[in-house]
Amino acid sequence: MGNPGDRQETAMLFDLNSCSLAVSQMTLSTFNAAMPPDLAASFLANDGHPVGVWFDIFSDGRGFTLARHLRESACHDGLLVALGHLIPDQADYLRRCGFTHVCIVAQSAEQWRRSLMLAPPAMQHVLQTGRARPARPVISAR
């Protein structure tokens, strides 16, 4: 048995929809989360090539905005991978902003799965089901 410091941690792609883990050999066009969304969109040809967004620190929300912009403006409809400093608590929000995968170390995969299982359903989903509250009847004042 080696020293704990000798352990090699391999980065892998965690699928935010299926919660599966895979080794990736793909090449990503990577944008920094600080890049203005319009500038990033101008570099994309929407050819399905995988795109990555690098988060310098986990508390920087600009990467979420960038992903949302790329999805909503139809600039990118392929794989969108979150890279860098992220934590499992952000898994559901990454998914809701349009990310398909996150690059993690394999040892943390169970934490990411657990985080997604604990995430409440998106409000839009709740409103489309029978769980939504019925509208209140209008009561006229006399």
Side-chain angles (χ1 to χ4, degrees), residues 22 28 81 84 127:
L28 298 172
V81 181
L127 293 175

Side-chain angles (χ1 to χ4, degrees), residues 42-116:
S42 70
F43 285 106
L44 294 176
N46 201 8
D47 56 4
H49 189 271
V51 172
V53 176
W54 177 264
F55 289 77
D56 289 325
I57 56 176
F58 81 93
S59 61
D60 186 357
R62 293 178 291 182
F64 297 105
T65 303
L66 179 57
R68 214 48 211 251
H69 181 78
L70 294 176
R71 291 296 193 201
E72 290 177 354
S73 64
C75 292
H76 185 69
D77 60 6
L79 293 180
L80 189 56
V81 181
L83 306 157
H85 301 278
L86 297 156
I87 58 175
D89 291 348
Q90 296 169 315
D92 183 52
Y93 198 58
L94 286 166
R95 182 174 54 189
R96 288 190 287 145
C97 287
F99 285 99
T100 58
H101 295 79
V102 61
C103 189
I104 64 171
V105 293
Q107 292 81 358
S108 67
E110 193 54 40
Q111 292 174 314
W112 285 84
R113 284 185 190 101
R114 192 171 335 129
S115 181
L116 285 171

Side-chain angles (χ1 to χ4, degrees), residues 2-22:
N3 295 329
D6 294 340
R7 178 176 56 180
Q8 285 275 329
E9 295 183 340
T10 305
M12 301 185 78
L13 287 184
F14 180 80
D15 188 318
L16 292 167
N17 292 310
S18 70
C19 294
S20 61
L21 200 59

